[in-house]
């Protein structure tokens, strides 16, 4: 298996490349980085078969549309994404094949209503649902702290403790964690009732992301505006 974690500095976004048997998937690609992804794919001898957004992003413009135009790959988002430009919308439990790899979609709403995580063997791509020592904000794009509580405690934290956690962002330089580590040390997960979790998230009062007014409408069109 080929596995790469790539970082986009402007929005502190992680993009993942996974490959097997000559095929590849990109998870959460950033539009400005598309030339770099295409170069890497070619250097590694991989054909991009699928590009996935874990959710409609508010902080960067997606590379999905550009990648589809350049490679003919399938573009994937969750079934609740309000986007009509993706070629495949997945629901909870659906499986995406990439060579010998299997990515299982897990519906994990809360950060946004369309947020999905993807489980691939002993690792999970958590988008902005579970971050390293944090969780994704829930105060816009139909975010819902109660739904996020369910997604965290009833879905992600029920995965085996050793499952590696690969988030959609990190602002402090962390690259990977595990379900067990987050359960033990993530301060947001100390709120173990829905009420306490909701109160904690409502108290955050964060500024809107710089690119939000540009990124959300652009991303609903797969970044091609
Ligand atoms: Fe996000």
């Amino acid at each position: 298996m080929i596995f790469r974690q790539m970082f986009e500095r402007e929005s502190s976004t992680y993009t993942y490349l996974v490959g097997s048997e000559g095929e590849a998937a990109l998870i959460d690609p950033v539009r400005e980085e598309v030339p770099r992804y295409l170069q890497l794919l070619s250097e590694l001898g991989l054909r991009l078969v699928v590009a996935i957004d874990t959710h409609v992003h508010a902080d960067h413009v997606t590379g999905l549309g550009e990648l589809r135009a350049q490679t003919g790959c399938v573009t994937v988002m969750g079934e609740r994404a309000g986007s009509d430009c993706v070629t495949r919308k997945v629901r909870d439990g659906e499986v995406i094949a990439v060579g010998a790899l299997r990515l299982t979609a897990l519906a994990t709403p809360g950060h946004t209503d369309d947020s999905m995580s993807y489980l691939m063997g002993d690792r999970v791509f958590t988008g902005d649902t579970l971050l390293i020592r944090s969780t994704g904000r829930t105060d816009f794009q139909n975010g819902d702290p109660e739904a996020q509580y369910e997604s965290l405690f009833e879905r992600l934290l029920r995965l085996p403790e050793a499952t590696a956690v690969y988030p959609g962002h990190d602002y402090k330089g962390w690259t990977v964690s595990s379900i067990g580590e987050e359960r033990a040390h993530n301060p947001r997960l100390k709120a173990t009732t829905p009420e306490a979790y909701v109160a904690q998230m409502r108290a955050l009062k964060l500024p809107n992301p710089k690119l939000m007014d540009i990124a959300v409408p652009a991303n609903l069109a797969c970044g091609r505006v």
Side-chain angles (χ1 to χ4, degrees):
M1 175 182 56
I2 290 168
F3 177 79
R4 296 294 169 89
Q5 181 179 38
M6 295 171 283
F7 187 64
E8 196 280 316
R9 281 196 204 95
E10 281 300 305
S11 58
S12 300
T13 297
Y14 283 130
T15 300
Y16 300 94
L17 181 153
V18 297
S20 159
E21 297 178 351
E23 294 189 345
L26 281 165
I27 301 171
D28 287 333
V30 177
R31 186 173 64 183
E32 286 71 20
E33 301 286 302
V34 164
R36 186 160 75 115
Y37 307 143
L38 294 176
Q39 182 177 352
L40 182 60
L41 287 161
S42 128
E43 288 168 355
L44 297 176
L46 295 170
R47 184 171 68 88
L48 186 68
V49 293
V50 57
I52 303 168
D53 268 355
T54 53
H55 59 289
V56 175
H57 298 287
D59 58 352
H60 67 268
V61 177
T62 178
L64 253 60
E66 194 59 32
L67 287 164
R68 185 178 58 184
Q70 302 244 7
T71 69
C73 70
V74 169
T75 51
V76 171
M77 293 186 79
E79 61 173 338
R80 291 171 74 180
S83 161
D84 51 15
C85 59
V86 293
T87 38
R88 180 174 172 192
K89 286 195 179 179
V90 291
R91 57 182 64 195
D92 185 62
E94 254 184 73
V95 175
I96 297 167
V98 183
L101 303 171
R102 297 291 177 268
L103 284 81
T104 304
L106 304 175
T108 51
H111 170 60
T112 61
D113 56 353
D114 68 315
S115 288
M116 305 291 281
S117 298
Y118 289 89
L119 181 65
M120 190 182 82
D122 59 358
R123 61 192 82 195
V124 63
F125 302 99
T126 54
D128 295 354
T129 303
L130 177 59
L131 304 174
I132 298 174
R133 306 298 188 268
S134 186
T135 58
R137 62 193 297 175
T138 55
D139 55 336
F140 54 69
Q141 287 186 281
N142 300 319
D144 178 345
E146 207 165 332
Q148 190 172 56
Y149 176 88
E150 293 286 315
S151 295
L152 291 163
F153 284 89
E154 303 299 326
R155 304 288 325 252
L156 294 175
L157 292 186
R158 292 188 177 219
L159 295 171
E161 294 219 329
T163 308
V165 171
Y166 286 97
H169 294 285
D170 193 85
Y171 305 95
K172 295 181 178 170
W174 301 112
T175 52
V176 59
S177 181
S178 71
I179 291 294
E181 195 181 316
E182 290 309 307
R183 188 203 302 274
H185 302 296
N186 187 323
R188 295 256 175 99
L189 304 181
K190 301 293 179 206
T192 52
T193 64
E195 295 73 23
Y197 190 81
V198 169
Q200 159 181 258
M201 296 308 284
R202 293 232 160 100
L204 286 178
K205 305 271 185 282
L206 300 165
N208 280 346
K210 276 179 293 191
L211 273 180
M212 181 167 167
D213 295 336
I214 298 166
V216 172
N219 289 338
L220 291 171
C222 291
R224 305 212 84 206
V225 288

